[in-house]
Amino acid sequence: MQLRCFDSKCAATLDLHGGALACPRCGELLELALNSTPLNPAALKELWSERRRSRDPRDISGVWRYREVLPEYAAEEIVTLGEGNTPLVRGHRSAQWAGVGDLQFKHLGWNPTGCFKDLGMTVGMTEARHAGAKVVACASTGNTAASMAAYAARAGVVGRVYLPAGQVSLNKLAQALDFGAEVVEVVGSFDDALNTLLESTGEGIYFLNSINPFRIEGQKTTMYELLDQLAWQSPDYLVVPGGNLGNSAAFGKAFDEMLRLGLIGRAPKMIVVQAAGANPFAQLWESGAAELTAVAEPETVATAIRIGNPRSWKKSLRGVQQTGGQVLDVTDEEIAEAKAIIGRDGIGCEPASAATLAGIRKLRRAGKIAEGASSVAILTGHVLKDTNFIIRTHQRQEAHA
Ligand SMILES: [Zn+2]
């Protein structure tokens, strides 16, 4: 694999393990380029299927099982908690509520720290240790902090997290503390926390933020696992919550690769759903503007996607455009209602995840999704990630009863 500038006009290439997060020539984000694999598509599918019977920790991981499409490391270098392997769960009440016939949830909240972040962190942390990092750092709305703290503990390096003070769910903060991270609280928003992080420098610090291209590689394996579960037949739609847009960026990259490798004949249309109070990407999509305008003071109950200036928007946009998808936003009320329905399916999720179901209903009502279409919605976080939200919602309902 090769580390290169995301801007195809620049196309600068860099040292794979140099730790760069931006192109030194033009400042654009970087990505790992997969040019080929040693096996043909049928042989890859067979190999990945066979590995489900193996006891090798790399094969047990739902990320490293697909290591032919990841950067290469020695077996003993890999930092894993057995991430991935999340099931597809059919949402019967949810489908009825949204007015669609065929809806499944891919619940990434059923990962080791209760969030999809683990899928990227296993690769990011492996690379950090490979590069000789002593301290790893990230800014976070909470989930990344919890995940990075856990994987740093596994790797035996110091984890340092920058959080917006008073804006992080206590459940997520508790996780970071339990895993032994150093917590730095920053007055302001997530975007302020990220800026503070980027200004901090020091010997041996490795940045594990959402723009880290190795994290994107881990997250992209979600789509390999999903298509593997679906016998390599794409659903009509893949629906993803949109905050910093790292996930949709990763998924778009996965579809591009899988098509080029001949693993699938058609990709699902990727739909990104933002919260109305933190919707710079939806605004960009609506207006057709060439550049993203940040939302200065993002506000939504879905704290995991309360991000005003998503760094990965160009990568995400490429995926949405290449798959013929779209971007939209939904209100906090719609998110809360959808979340309660997902709970009534016995599944549960954190508020940001429920934006997917709210988005499907909105598109269905607008006639933009056919009733018979098949959809897979990505749930990103576990129901226990924000228990305060649930208690408050139910107390309000009781007060009104
Ligand atoms: Zn460049």
Side-chain angles (χ1 to χ4, degrees):
M1 286 189 115
Q2 203 180 35
L3 186 61
R4 71 174 179 205
C5 178
F6 176 70
D7 185 340
S8 56
K9 289 195 286 290
C10 169
T13 57
L14 286 88
D15 170 17
L16 183 61
H17 302 296
L21 292 184
C23 175
R25 196 190 293 171
C26 74
E28 190 50 78
L29 298 184
L30 303 174
E31 73 174 354
L32 275 76
L34 176 72
N35 298 319
S36 62
T37 57
L39 297 168
N40 67 44
L44 279 174
K45 290 176 185 177
E46 181 63 27
L47 175 67
W48 294 337
S49 177
E50 277 293 310
R51 283 181 181 157
R52 289 180 184 274
R53 300 199 307 213
S54 160
R55 290 186 174 82
D56 183 326
R58 293 175 302 169
D59 296 340
I60 291 168
S61 164
V63 172
W64 296 102
R65 181 179 304 134
Y66 303 97
R67 56 190 173 274
E68 283 68 24
V69 296
L70 293 174
E72 207 176 325
Y73 301 95
E76 64 276 12
E77 285 186 293
I78 287 171
V79 184
T80 176
L81 285 163
E83 53 289 317
N85 301 300
T86 53
L88 271 173
V89 192
R90 204 160 275 285
H92 298 289
R93 280 197 172 90
S94 298
Q96 204 173 22
W97 182 80
V100 293
D102 183 354
L103 172 62
Q104 298 192 81
F105 292 109
K106 174 83 171 152
H107 204 327
L108 308 184
W110 296 351
N111 264 295
T113 75
C115 183
F116 76 94
K117 306 282 184 181
D118 298 339
L119 302 161
M121 207 53 79
T122 181
V123 179
M125 196 65 70
T126 297
E127 170 60 20
R129 201 165 63 168
H130 180 85
K134 300 285 180 277
V135 180
V136 291
C138 71
S140 173
T141 63
N143 281 329
T144 305
S147 179
M148 196 196 75
Y151 281 84
R154 296 296 303 175
V157 302
V158 175
R160 188 175 296 154
V161 299
Y162 291 73
L163 303 171
Q167 291 189 32
V168 173
S169 135
L170 282 182
N171 310 66
K172 300 175 188 179
L173 179 60
Q175 284 184 292
L177 294 170
D178 196 59
F179 300 134
E182 293 177 4
V183 175
V184 182
E185 287 197 302
V186 178
V187 177
S189 66
F190 164 80
D191 302 285
D192 296 318
L194 179 58
N195 289 332
T196 306
L197 166 76
L198 295 175
E199 285 159 15
S200 73
T201 49
E203 197 60 22
I205 296 186
Y206 186 88
F207 291 108
L208 275 171
N209 256 79
S210 65
I211 58 168
N212 182 302
F214 291 86
R215 279 186 53 197
I216 298 289
E217 288 305 294
Q219 283 169 220
K220 90 181 175 189
T221 63
T222 305
M223 289 303 111
Y224 284 84
E225 183 177 275
L226 171 68
L227 269 297
D228 197 351
Q229 286 168 314
L230 294 171
W232 304 97
Q233 299 299 309
S234 289
D236 295 318
Y237 297 98
L238 178 82
V239 190
V240 193
N244 68 32
L245 303 174
N247 234 0
S248 49
F251 298 167
K253 183 172 193 282
F255 295 138
D256 182 56
E257 285 177 6
M258 286 192 277
L259 286 167
R260 279 191 296 108
L261 295 174
L263 291 164
I264 55 172
R266 168 182 78 80
K269 293 182 170 69
M270 185 163 71
I271 294 169
V272 178
V273 190
Q274 293 208 293
N279 67 348
F281 195 46
Q283 286 186 40
L284 174 95
W285 182 261
E286 192 63 36
S287 69
E291 289 292 324
L292 182 118
T293 305
V295 170
E297 287 177 17
E299 193 50 61
T300 167
V301 295
T303 53
I305 52 173
R306 185 158 68 191
I307 291 171
N309 189 17
R311 308 284 162 134
S312 297
W313 69 269
K314 280 184 192 166
K315 289 184 174 181
S316 179
L317 184 62
R318 180 179 66 177
V320 173
Q321 286 174 334
Q322 282 185 349
T323 62
Q326 53 191 306
V327 185
L328 72 156
D329 62 11
V330 292
T331 65
D332 278 4
E333 290 70 32
E334 290 169 320
I335 289 173
E337 204 182 329
K339 177 173 152 45
I341 298 295
I342 295 168
R344 296 286 289 122
D345 259 325
I347 297 170
C349 62
E350 76 164 313
S353 308
T356 53
L357 180 62
I360 292 169
R361 184 173 73 160
K362 188 171 176 179
L363 289 175
R364 177 73 195 102
R365 285 182 166 179
K368 290 180 178 170
I369 286 184
E371 190 180 357
S374 57
S375 300
V376 171
I378 299 293
L379 301 179
T380 45
H382 196 275
V383 66
L384 294 176
K385 279 287 192 176
D386 191 353
T387 46
N388 195 29
F389 174 89
I390 303 171
I391 303 297
R392 272 187 283 123
T393 305
H394 285 265
Q395 277 172 338
R396 255 203 314 276
Q397 281 174 352
E398 219 152 278
H400 291 155

